[in-house]
């Protein structure tokens, strides 16, 4: 009861408006955890796109190995036991390679190998060797000129575009739900105000009837009727207060702070709506645009799957130089450009016979693409049908609003006249109560029509992908 009393006091002070649909929507878009989570997910998606573009970095490979061997040599079988020398060798090798793959389907590498060979049984064989090799590989078929690699870049970029559009759709869907919650709270606030006014009238009427019964001007049955009406009005008011409190709690959860009734604007006669009517086309719908972006990256994915059935034909070329020295370092005369060199070229064909796995992957990609195209068409058709029905309903709501406005004026006049007649003893209390009930019903109808108008405006803007323009000012 204390909470309801406090809410009642706040309701009476609601003329000092601290916020509105536009302000609360901006706060929700900025601070709502639903939207913050989507923004963080999009940051991760952006990093994944960047990872694809940075996947062909320079690589450095370094290795070292030491081998101490006393294995018997096969050549020792040809040597007499008298001249046989044991095999006791040590070999220490180091390798340093720089390599890079390019998005053109090219791989370039520079390899440097240093070997220190020691023969403990025959020191005349000791030496140090250095070999430097520059090699190039290029796919001439499956990944000709990097067509598959560039498709990977396009797919990652278009996938990010799809996820951006998907995020926009999810954010707008969240905003649409938030707007619906706000409008529900606004409707509850208006109904609560109407119930409060009805309760105040019931209290005044009960006070009047008590005096009239005491003065002998009214019967006790009128007092009983007035008391019943006052209790019914109080119950109805309390029920609306509970509904309003629930609506405010729903908004509070979304923006993570307490939303009071003063943060909700009033529904007033012939005032402009907080939701603007915006022009647009269904083709701008965020969900439809999301499917279009999805189709774009699936088209490239299907192309990549088509290329998967092609064999790989790799052209390879290498240029190597080396040098061996017994006492000094072999590196200076072993680098590229020395007289000791070797050039080699070759082709390597790799073909999965039958390519069954690749063909199945191609079929799966084609099915996925056709499925999304079908979904996109159906989304557009459904949206157009919903838009057409909503425009028709909105026209009907406007007609109802005009009718309710006239009826509201007549209901006010009727209640005023019955009160005047009752005070002169020319009308019964039941007639006054029925006139009041008719006024309350008319007021609620009018408020409901205003609510329907706002809801239709927001839904239509949502269908057309213009909800932000309709809500934010």
């Amino acid at each position: 009861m204390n909470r309801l009393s406090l809410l009642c006091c706040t309701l009476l002070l609601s003329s000092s408006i601290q916020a509105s649909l536009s302000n609360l929507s901006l706060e929700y878009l900025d601070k709502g955890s639903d939207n913050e989570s989507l923004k963080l997910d999009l940051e991760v998606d952006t990093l994944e796109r960047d990872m694809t573009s940075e996947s062909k970095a320079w690589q450095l490979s370094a290795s070292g190995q030491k081998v101490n061997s006393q294995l018997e040599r096969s050549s020792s079988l040809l040597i007499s036991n008298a001249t046989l020398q044991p095999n006791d060798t040590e070999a220490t090798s180091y390798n340093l390679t720089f390599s890079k793959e390019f998005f053109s389907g090219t791989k370039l590498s520079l390899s440097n190998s240093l070997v220190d060979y020691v023969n403990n049984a025959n020191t005349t064989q000791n030496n140090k060797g250095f070999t430097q090799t520059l090699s190039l590989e290029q796919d001439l078929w499956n990944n000709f000129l990097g067509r598959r690699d560039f498709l990977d870049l396009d797919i990652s970029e278009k996938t990010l575009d799809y996820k951006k559009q998907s995020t926009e759709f999810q954010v707008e869907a969240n905003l649409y739900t938030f707007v619906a919650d706000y409008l529900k709270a606004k409707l509850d606030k208006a109904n609560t105000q109407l119930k409060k006014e009805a309760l105040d009238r019931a209290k005044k009427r009960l006070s009047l009837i008590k005096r009239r019964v005491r003065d002998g001007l009214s019967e006790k049955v009128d007092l009983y009727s007035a008391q019943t009406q006052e209790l019914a009005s109080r119950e109805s008011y309390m029920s609306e207060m509970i509904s309003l409190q629930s609506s405010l709690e729903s908004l509070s959860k979304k923006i993570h702070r307490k939303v009071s009734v003063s943060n909700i604007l009033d529904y007033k006669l012939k005032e402009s709506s907080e939701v603007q009517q915006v022009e647009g086309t269904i083709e701008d719908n965020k969900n439809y645009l999301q499917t279009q972006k999805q189709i774009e990256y699936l088209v490239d994915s299907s192309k990549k799957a088509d290329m998967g059935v092609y064999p790989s034909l790799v052209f390879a070329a290498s240029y190597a130089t080396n040098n061996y020295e017994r006492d000094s370092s072999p590196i200076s005369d072993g680098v590229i450009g020395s007289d000791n060199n070797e050039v080699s070229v070759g082709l390597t064909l790799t073909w999965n016979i039958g390519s069954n796995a690749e063909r199945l992957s191609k079929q799966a990609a084609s099915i996925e693409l056709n499925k999304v195209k079908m979904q996109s068409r159906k989304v557009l058709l459904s949206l157009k049908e919903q838009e057409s029905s909503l425009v028709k309903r909105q026209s009907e709501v406007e007609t109802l609003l005009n009718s309710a406005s006239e009826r509201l004026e007549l209901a006010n006049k009727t209640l005023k006249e019955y009160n005047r007649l009752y005070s002169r003893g020319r009308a019964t209390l039941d007639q006054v109560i029925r006139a009041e009930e008719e006024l309350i019903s008319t007021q609620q109808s009018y408020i409901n029509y205003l609510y329907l108008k706002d809801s239709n405006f927001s839904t239509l803007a949502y269908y057309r992908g213009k909800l932000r323009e309709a809500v934010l000012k």
Side-chain angles (χ1 to χ4, degrees):
M1 178 63 72
N2 291 335
R3 292 182 66 190
L4 293 175
S5 300
L6 180 60
L7 183 59
C8 176
C9 294
T10 307
L11 180 62
L12 296 175
L13 297 174
S14 61
S15 57
S16 57
I17 301 300
Q18 300 174 357
S20 63
L21 174 58
S22 178
N23 294 333
L24 289 176
S25 295
L26 282 171
E27 185 175 354
Y28 172 67
L29 290 173
D30 184 48
K31 298 180 180 180
S33 60
D34 297 337
N35 301 317
E36 286 184 345
S37 177
L38 291 171
K39 293 174 185 176
L40 292 175
D41 289 341
L42 186 58
E43 288 184 17
V44 173
D45 295 333
T46 303
L47 292 175
E48 289 179 352
R49 185 279 311 270
D50 295 341
M51 287 168 57
T52 301
S53 62
E54 297 295 331
S55 62
K56 305 285 187 182
W58 280 98
Q59 291 184 333
L60 172 64
S61 173
S63 63
Q65 185 179 37
K66 184 176 179 64
V67 178
N68 191 330
S69 176
Q70 294 185 357
L71 294 174
E72 184 178 0
R73 294 174 296 179
S74 62
S75 59
S76 65
L77 298 176
L78 304 176
I79 304 174
S80 65
N81 293 333
T83 60
L84 180 62
Q85 294 180 342
N87 179 36
D88 186 4
T89 62
E90 296 179 14
T92 304
S93 62
Y94 305 94
N95 183 271
L96 185 66
T97 302
F98 296 93
S99 63
K100 178 175 174 60
E101 292 187 26
F102 298 88
F103 284 102
S104 58
T106 306
K107 182 178 180 180
L108 182 67
S109 65
L110 176 65
S111 176
N112 303 272
S113 298
L114 179 64
V115 178
D116 186 0
Y117 177 79
V118 177
N119 190 328
N120 295 320
N122 186 357
T123 58
T124 59
Q125 295 182 3
N126 293 354
N127 62 71
K128 298 177 181 179
F130 178 75
T131 303
Q132 190 169 68
T133 304
L134 179 65
S135 60
L136 174 72
E137 293 182 1
Q138 175 67 57
D139 194 331
L140 301 179
W141 199 337
N142 186 289
N143 195 24
F144 180 64
L145 296 180
R147 56 184 177 182
R148 289 197 70 184
D149 290 339
F150 286 124
L151 269 178
D152 284 336
L153 290 175
D154 288 342
I155 290 171
S156 67
E157 190 67 42
K158 290 178 180 179
T159 299
L160 179 61
D161 290 341
Y162 160 69
K163 291 182 177 179
K164 286 180 178 178
Q165 188 61 55
S166 178
T167 298
E168 287 186 24
F169 167 60
Q170 291 298 327
V171 169
E172 184 157 273
N174 291 341
L175 178 60
Y176 177 68
T177 302
F178 181 81
V179 171
D181 289 346
Y182 175 90
L183 294 178
K184 177 61 168 58
K186 189 173 183 178
L187 175 65
D188 289 340
K189 177 182 178 181
N191 285 331
T192 302
Q193 289 173 331
L194 293 178
K195 298 298 184 180
K196 180 64 170 62
E197 293 171 3
L199 177 58
D200 291 340
R201 287 194 297 267
K203 288 179 179 179
K204 291 179 181 178
R205 183 167 57 249
L206 178 59
S207 178
L208 175 63
I209 297 301
K210 285 180 179 179
R211 289 197 303 270
R212 290 176 64 88
V213 171
R214 190 168 54 246
D215 296 337
L217 299 176
S218 295
E219 300 294 335
K220 280 191 175 183
V221 67
D222 289 340
L223 177 60
Y224 300 150
S225 179
Q227 289 174 331
T228 301
Q229 186 63 27
E230 193 269 346
L231 288 173
S233 297
R234 186 180 298 277
E235 290 173 12
S236 182
Y237 170 65
M238 296 286 288
S239 176
E240 288 295 340
M241 290 284 284
I242 293 172
S243 179
L244 174 59
Q245 183 65 34
S246 177
S247 296
L248 294 175
E249 288 175 356
S250 178
L251 290 174
S252 299
K253 289 179 182 178
K254 291 183 181 296
I255 59 177
H256 313 293
R257 70 168 179 84
K258 182 176 179 57
V259 177
S260 66
V261 71
S262 62
N263 298 137
I264 311 297
L265 293 182
D266 294 330
Y267 271 125
K268 294 183 179 179
L269 182 66
K270 297 182 180 179
E271 274 198 1
S272 60
S273 171
E274 288 191 84
V275 183
Q276 303 300 312
Q277 187 173 15
V278 295
E279 299 298 327
T281 62
I282 287 300
E283 284 74 12
D284 292 328
N285 177 266
K286 296 291 192 296
N287 188 22
Y288 174 70
L289 292 177
Q290 172 188 233
T291 62
Q292 292 298 296
K293 292 293 184 182
Q294 189 176 11
I295 288 173
E296 289 179 8
Y297 89 77
L298 287 176
V299 167
D300 283 351
S301 297
S302 182
K303 290 179 181 178
K304 183 179 177 181
D306 288 343
M307 294 177 184
V309 300
Y310 300 154
S312 171
L313 180 63
V314 178
F315 167 78
S318 67
Y319 172 76
T321 59
N322 72 346
N323 182 45
Y324 287 90
E325 299 287 346
R326 291 195 60 187
D327 300 319
S328 60
S329 173
I331 296 179
S332 59
D333 292 331
V335 296
I336 290 175
S338 71
D339 294 334
N340 304 325
N341 60 67
E342 177 186 80
V343 177
S344 66
V345 295
L347 289 173
T348 301
L349 176 65
T350 304
W351 196 346
N352 292 334
I353 298 177
S355 301
N356 290 330
E358 291 78 6
R359 294 181 190 280
L360 292 174
S361 177
K362 177 181 176 181
Q363 292 177 10
S366 178
I367 292 172
E368 181 68 18
L369 176 59
N370 290 332
K371 182 187 76 172
V372 175
K373 285 182 177 180
M374 176 195 67
Q375 291 174 342
S376 181
R377 289 193 300 268
K378 290 187 176 182
V379 165
L380 185 60
L381 291 173
S382 297
L383 287 170
K384 286 184 176 180
E385 180 63 28
Q386 290 171 321
E387 180 192 35
S388 176
S389 299
L390 190 58
V391 170
K392 181 180 179 181
R393 290 202 304 271
Q394 184 56 34
S395 176
E396 295 170 348
V397 170
E398 292 291 345
T399 301
L400 291 172
L401 268 173
N402 293 332
S403 174
S405 179
E406 296 178 9
R407 191 157 56 94
L408 185 60
E409 185 176 352
L410 292 173
N412 274 303
K413 290 180 180 179
T414 300
L415 178 60
K416 183 178 180 180
E417 183 65 18
Y418 267 120
N419 280 325
R420 186 182 67 82
L421 292 174
Y422 181 75
S423 64
R424 297 182 179 182
R426 296 172 57 187
T428 65
L429 180 60
D430 286 341
Q431 289 176 312
V432 175
I433 292 175
R434 282 196 297 272
E436 181 175 293
E437 289 174 345
E438 181 62 29
L439 174 62
I440 294 173
S441 175
T442 304
Q443 289 172 326
Q444 287 184 317
S445 295
Y446 184 79
I447 293 298
N448 284 330
Y449 297 151
L450 288 177
Y451 168 73
L452 285 176
K453 179 180 178 180
D454 284 348
S455 296
N456 289 344
F457 279 173
S458 64
T459 302
L460 190 59
Y462 176 62
Y463 287 163
R464 294 172 174 173
K466 304 289 185 182
L467 185 58
R468 288 173 181 258
E469 291 86 335
V471 172
L472 306 182
K473 299 178 183 179

